[in-house]
């Protein structure tokens, strides 16, 4: 079926591997890429895995949503596994890209480009009535992108990767209260990206995703998590700060005025004052034309 090449990482439910199609099997007749990502989990986790696969189908083939090509059940050493065939993100995750910055953050044009793609994907999800519930750099994948020399101008032309939202293991229908076996009576998402209303009331709606967008963009800009913490900081301390104080993540004074205003539209504690993904797509931070230059960094260092 597929030959596993190497591990790529872990998701909410299961692990992900790079796989190469085998030329002699039936799948080679299908219109599938030669490289795919196989997300696998043992069959006892079948329900959340099937839910994630269903969400992929409901979100359709949208340019900023990671594609799912199907699923299958496999057996190895007497254990059954449920597998999803996913689009391979050759550019890694946004978390990888931020890590490559060495703590200095990404170039301004990259932040704007990736933010715009993320908002397009979220706007599509929200209009269909779904909430991702776990937006963070690890769940934003980068597909494609290239750097080539233009013979007419003798200048290097850079094409940035396409942003793809991935990992729908915690996705839910907007406006619907459900736990589906989530830990801590329905708590979803990653603490550093959770919105105040999610901590206080376990409320997960489109505006909660927007708070997570603000935390993600701030991390792209600074190279560091939106909330100041270290390895010794306990999760309960972070959740208390988010849910039971009036604090919001600090925006450094050196961030551009457009960037600061954009973040203020996301990182506002009052949900009714938070902008929607559609509104944010019209904000100058992502809608204005940005001069793109060859990045002064080690390209693709996450492959090293």
């Amino acid at each position: 079926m597929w030959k596993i090449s190497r591990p790529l990482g872990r998701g909410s439910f299961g692990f992900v591997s790079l796989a190469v199609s085998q030329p002699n099997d039936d799948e080679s007749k299908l219109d599938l890429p030669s490289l795919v990502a196989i997300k696998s989990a043992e069959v006892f986790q079948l329900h959340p895995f099937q839910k994630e696969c269903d969400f992929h189908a409901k979100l359709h083939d949208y340019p900023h949503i990671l594609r799912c090509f199907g699923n299958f059940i496999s057996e190895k050493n007497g254990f059954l596994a449920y597998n999803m065939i996913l689009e391979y993100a050759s550019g890694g995750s946004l978390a990888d890209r931020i890590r490559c910055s060495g703590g200095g953050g990404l170039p301004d044009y990259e932040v704007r480009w990736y933010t715009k793609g993320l908002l397009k994907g979220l706007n599509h999800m929200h209009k269909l009535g779904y909430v991702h519930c776990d937006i963070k750099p690890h769940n934003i994948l980068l597909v494609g992108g290239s750097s080539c020399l233009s013979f007419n101008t003798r200048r290097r032309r850079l094409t940035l990767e396409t942003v793809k939202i991935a990992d729908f293991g915690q996705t839910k229908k907007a406006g619907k209260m459900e736990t589906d076996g989530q830990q801590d009576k329905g708590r979803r998402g990653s603490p550093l990206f959770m919105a105040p209303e999610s901590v206080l009331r376990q409320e997960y709606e489109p505006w909660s995703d927007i708070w997570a967008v603000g935390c993600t963009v701030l991390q792209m800009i600074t190279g560091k998590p939106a909330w100041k913490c270290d390895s010794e900081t306990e999760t309960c301390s972070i959740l208390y700060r988010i849910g039971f104080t009036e604090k919001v993540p600090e925006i450094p004074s050196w961030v551009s005025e457009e960037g600061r205003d954009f973040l203020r539209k996301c990182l506002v504690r009052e949900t009714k004052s938070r902008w929607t993904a559609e509104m944010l797509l019209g904000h100058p931070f992502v809608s204005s034309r940005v001069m793109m230059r060859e990045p002064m960094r080690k390209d693709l260092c996450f492959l090293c």
Side-chain angles (χ1 to χ4, degrees):
M1 186 176 290
W2 300 94
K3 181 180 180 181
I4 300 299
S5 173
R6 60 182 174 86
L8 292 173
R10 297 192 66 87
S12 297
F13 303 98
F15 56 92
V16 185
S17 304
L18 177 65
V20 183
S21 63
Q22 300 297 288
N24 296 323
D25 47 56
D26 294 337
E27 280 73 16
S28 64
K29 300 175 184 178
L30 302 176
D31 185 21
L32 295 177
S34 58
L35 290 176
V36 295
I38 303 290
K39 186 172 184 178
S40 309
E42 293 187 20
V43 170
F44 74 87
Q45 292 181 317
L46 183 60
H47 176 63
F49 234 59
Q50 283 182 323
K51 270 194 64 179
E52 184 171 359
C53 203
D54 289 343
F55 277 119
H56 272 286
K58 292 172 182 175
L59 293 169
H60 311 296
D61 288 334
Y62 187 72
H64 297 285
I65 301 292
L66 194 73
R67 294 185 65 190
C68 178
F69 301 108
N71 58 81
F72 64 94
I73 293 179
S74 61
E75 185 273 335
K76 184 176 182 181
N77 299 327
F79 292 95
L80 292 177
Y82 189 83
N83 308 275
M84 284 193 295
I85 308 171
L86 300 171
E87 182 177 13
Y88 170 51
S90 58
S93 71
L94 192 55
D96 295 323
R97 189 56 51 85
I98 294 171
R99 177 174 57 82
C100 286
S101 74
L106 304 181
D108 182 68
Y109 69 86
E110 285 194 27
V111 175
R112 293 172 186 244
W113 175 262
Y114 296 143
T115 301
K116 186 174 185 176
L118 170 58
L119 289 172
K120 285 183 176 180
L122 271 182
N123 188 44
H124 177 71
M125 286 189 67
H126 293 169
K127 284 188 173 181
L128 290 176
Y130 298 106
V131 188
H132 187 278
C133 298
D134 198 17
I135 291 295
K136 60 181 179 180
H138 286 87
N139 291 338
I140 302 166
L141 304 184
L142 307 176
V143 175
S146 64
S147 179
C148 61
L149 186 66
S150 170
F151 290 99
N152 293 330
T153 62
R154 295 294 178 183
R155 296 180 65 182
R156 189 164 293 279
R157 181 177 300 169
L158 177 69
T159 302
L160 291 176
E161 302 94 337
T162 299
V163 164
K164 305 265 185 172
I165 299 176
D167 202 334
F168 300 97
Q170 312 220 28
T171 299
K172 65 178 285 288
K173 185 73 175 175
K176 184 178 179 181
M177 296 296 293
E178 56 182 355
T179 59
D180 287 342
Q182 297 290 326
Q183 296 179 349
D184 300 334
K185 298 181 180 180
R187 194 182 79 196
R188 300 168 184 259
S190 304
L192 284 172
F193 300 87
M194 289 179 68
E197 67 275 9
S198 301
V199 176
L200 279 171
R201 302 183 294 276
Q202 294 174 16
E203 179 182 311
Y204 301 90
E205 297 301 330
W207 45 83
S208 307
D209 280 344
I210 298 303
W211 176 279
V213 168
C215 293
T216 298
V217 173
L218 188 53
Q219 189 165 342
M220 278 195 280
I221 292 173
T222 64
K224 299 176 177 61
W227 293 103
K228 292 181 179 179
C229 61
D230 53 37
S231 58
E232 302 299 321
T233 305
E234 295 185 2
T235 299
C236 60
S237 174
I238 296 171
L239 294 178
Y240 178 83
R241 202 184 317 171
I242 296 170
F244 298 94
T245 72
E246 293 303 312
K247 294 180 180 179
V248 296
E250 181 181 348
I251 305 172
S253 59
W254 50 262
V255 175
S256 70
E257 185 52 43
E258 283 185 351
R260 291 172 62 82
D261 187 68
F262 179 91
L263 289 167
R264 284 194 288 261
K265 299 296 190 291
C266 302
L267 299 173
V268 54
R269 298 185 67 89
E270 175 54 53
T271 58
K272 293 181 180 179
S273 299
R274 234 172 273 163
W275 279 26
T276 64
E278 186 172 25
M279 292 166 67
L280 289 169
L281 281 169
H283 193 282
F285 183 67
V286 294
S287 64
S288 60
R289 187 173 180 179
V290 182
M291 183 67 70
M292 292 172 56
R293 298 174 182 171
E294 188 74 19
M296 297 299 292
R297 57 176 167 77
K298 183 180 180 182
D299 280 342
L300 305 179
C301 69
F302 51 86
L303 295 177
C304 300

